[in-house]
Structure formats: structure tokens, C-alpha cells
Amino acid sequence: MTKTTVHPLTAADAHTLAALRARRSPLKGKLTRASFDALMEEVPDVPGIQYSDDIVGGVGGVWCRPQHADGTILFLHGGAYMAGTAHAYRHFVGHVAAAAKMNAFVPDYRLAPEHRFPAALDDAHAAYVGLASGKESPVAIVGDSAGGGLTLALASDLRDARAPLAAVALSPVTDLGQSLDSLSRTAELDLLLTAESVAHAARTYLKGHDPRDPRASAVYAETSALPPVLLHVGTSELLLDDSRRYAARAEVTLHEWEGMPHVFLSDIELEAAREAIEITGAFLRDAISR
């Protein structure tokens, strides 16, 4: 049974969000690979995290290693399946790794339109097997936005073999077949996404493939025998229903954050972001201690 916790918007975060909205309004619906990486590079570094390039399971990426780590996170980055790099994500992932006291590997999975479905999921699976088969085990999977969708789809794929110890999805994409009408309800509130940009990303990634394929849209995936699953979502983001619909089908822990935008955890200046990261770290530490 899903456990849902609703977090109210604080006065301090309301003030911070107003500044973020003003600063990011020129980017809404217009993110490119370069501008998306620049946005993620704004996340401040975490003291004590060591970063290094590596290849795991044939997939290149970046390690984020805090001191005194136990266990490993496979972190699948967002970017609408078309953008995002491990290097640009390293500081954000460093915050999650530090909170969990776990090493984290961020793979540079293949992106659309050059590489369509299921290339991203295949690369995520290969990186996971590479980690789980070696000294980096046990492994949890964490991802945001498109990477959150990959996280949940991969967790379902792995239910019967080398299951992850936990899965955490931050503002995940769970249904690539949603209509523009269903996406438009919170469109004005979202800081960066538009219904049209989300629909374009889905079409580009799928290239005619059935969006109801559970490996593409985790809301249709088998959810029995999953590891512990944690979801974070903001109530002011376009993909709010993606988390709610997934939570209605699976046994998960769902945290809804009032007024928060898409993948708000990367906006470290927000009180909610820091609290959500701490909740994520505690969830992962609890999973590894079982």
C-alpha cells in the first residue's frame, strides 16, 4: 500500500521560487543540450566528494564518491531522453551520494534522436549489471525525470534477477503516451516544461514505438515484487500525475511537495530540496542495512 506524505510550502521557499521563476522563464520549453547542462552545472559542489571518469558495463560515465561510503547508486540522469551528461550532473548526484553515504555512478546512456528507444534503457541495464556483478554491489537505482522513468522501468525488468536494493525516482516520467490535455493542467505552474516539449520528447525518443510498452512507460510495468520504491514530486510540475498514477498501481513511498517544480531537488537553495535529499539518503541507508 502506498504511503503518501504531503509537505507544505514554506514562506522562505515561496520567495526563492519567485526568483527562480523569473530567472528561468526564458528557458521554459526551450532547453537545448547546452543550456540544460549549463543549468545542471549551477548546482554547487559538495565538499569531500571525489569525481572520476570510468566505464562500467561498457557504458562511460562519472563516479561520485563520498568518504566512508557503503554500497552503490546507479544514478540515471534526466533530460527528456535527449539531453543531459554525467559530467553536468556530477554535483547534484554528489549531494545524493553524500546524504546516502554511498558511491554513485552516473552513466552517459545514449540519447535521442541519434539513439531511440530502447537504447537508453539498454545502457542503463548494462551499467547496472556491470555494477551488480562486481565489487560495487549492492546497488540501488536513482533517477530524475526521464532518468526516473528509466529507474522504474529497470526496477521492473530486474525483479527476477539481480534485483536492486531500492529504487528512487525524482519527478519521474512514467507515461510517454499522455495526451496534451492531461499534461496541460499544471503547465502554467511548471518552471521549465511545457506540454508540447514533453510530447515532442516522447515522440523523438519512441519514434513510433508503442508508448504503452512497459519498458518505455513504467506506469504499465509489472509492479509486484519490486524493491522498496521512493518517489518525490512537486505539485507545481507538469508531471505530477505521472507519479500519482504510478503510486496508485505500486506499493511505494510517495512524497508530494506543495509548490515545488520539476526535479526541485537539484535547486539546493530550496529548503524542500535539502529535506528531500536527506529523506532520500535515509531511505537508501535503511535499504542497505536490511
Side-chain angles (χ1 to χ4, degrees):
M1 183 175 182
T2 290
K3 176 185 177 183
T4 301
T5 302
V6 179
H7 303 262
L9 176 65
T10 67
D13 276 353
H15 178 78
T16 301
L17 284 171
L20 283 173
R21 186 174 298 279
R23 191 164 77 238
R24 292 182 180 170
S25 59
L27 294 174
K28 183 165 178 170
K30 301 175 183 176
L31 284 173
T32 64
R33 286 180 177 177
S35 62
F36 184 68
D37 277 358
L39 190 66
M40 295 308 301
E41 288 280 8
E42 293 178 4
V43 180
D45 196 1
V46 183
I49 300 287
Q50 294 185 340
Y51 304 100
S52 60
D53 296 335
D54 199 2
I55 298 174
V56 176
V59 183
V62 173
W63 279 104
C64 310
R65 297 184 185 272
Q67 297 178 346
H68 312 299
D70 182 24
T72 303
I73 296 167
L74 174 66
F75 193 104
L76 303 173
H77 69 74
Y81 304 98
M82 299 189 297
T85 62
H87 182 81
Y89 258 74
R90 69 197 184 283
H91 293 164
F92 175 34
V93 178
H95 283 273
V96 177
K101 297 180 175 61
M102 298 171 69
N103 296 318
F105 180 72
V106 192
D108 274 314
Y109 60 81
R110 288 170 291 172
L111 301 174
E114 296 90 344
H115 305 282
R116 311 290 184 125
F117 173 85
L121 186 61
D122 287 346
D123 287 353
H125 186 276
Y128 178 86
V129 171
L131 293 172
S133 300
K135 63 181 181 180
E136 304 297 343
S137 186
V139 182
I141 313 173
V142 181
D144 71 295
S145 193
L150 292 172
T151 293
L152 298 175
L154 182 58
S156 286
D157 266 4
L158 294 167
R159 287 177 307 117
D160 299 324
R162 296 195 181 101
L165 62 90
V168 180
L170 318 175
S171 300
V173 178
T174 70
D175 187 359
L176 291 174
Q178 288 190 64
S179 68
L180 290 181
D181 287 343
S182 69
L183 290 172
S184 296
R185 183 166 52 83
T186 53
E188 289 302 315
L189 297 174
D190 200 292
L191 291 187
L192 288 173
L193 302 179
T194 65
E196 292 77 13
S197 67
V198 171
H200 170 71
R203 289 193 302 268
T204 302
Y205 176 55
L206 292 174
K207 197 182 180 181
H209 190 83
D210 184 0
R212 295 178 66 91
D213 184 329
R215 301 180 76 236
S217 297
V219 74
Y220 304 111
E222 176 58 57
T223 58
S224 64
L226 284 174
V229 176
L230 170 66
L231 305 181
H232 288 289
V233 68
T235 62
S236 292
E237 65 168 286
L238 201 66
L239 299 178
L240 172 59
D241 285 348
D242 279 57
S243 288
R244 287 178 171 174
R245 288 183 61 213
Y246 184 87
R249 293 195 64 247
E251 185 175 337
V252 306
T253 299
L254 172 64
H255 287 263
E256 292 190 2
W257 299 80
E258 292 186 350
M260 287 296 115
H262 188 58
V263 195
F264 67 91
L265 289 84
S266 65
D267 293 311
I268 302 300
E269 62 266 46
L270 291 166
E271 293 176 347
R274 298 191 295 273
E275 184 180 352
I277 288 173
E278 286 304 315
I279 289 171
T280 299
F283 180 84
L284 292 171
R285 290 197 303 274
D286 179 67
I288 203 171
S289 67
R290 293 181 181 179

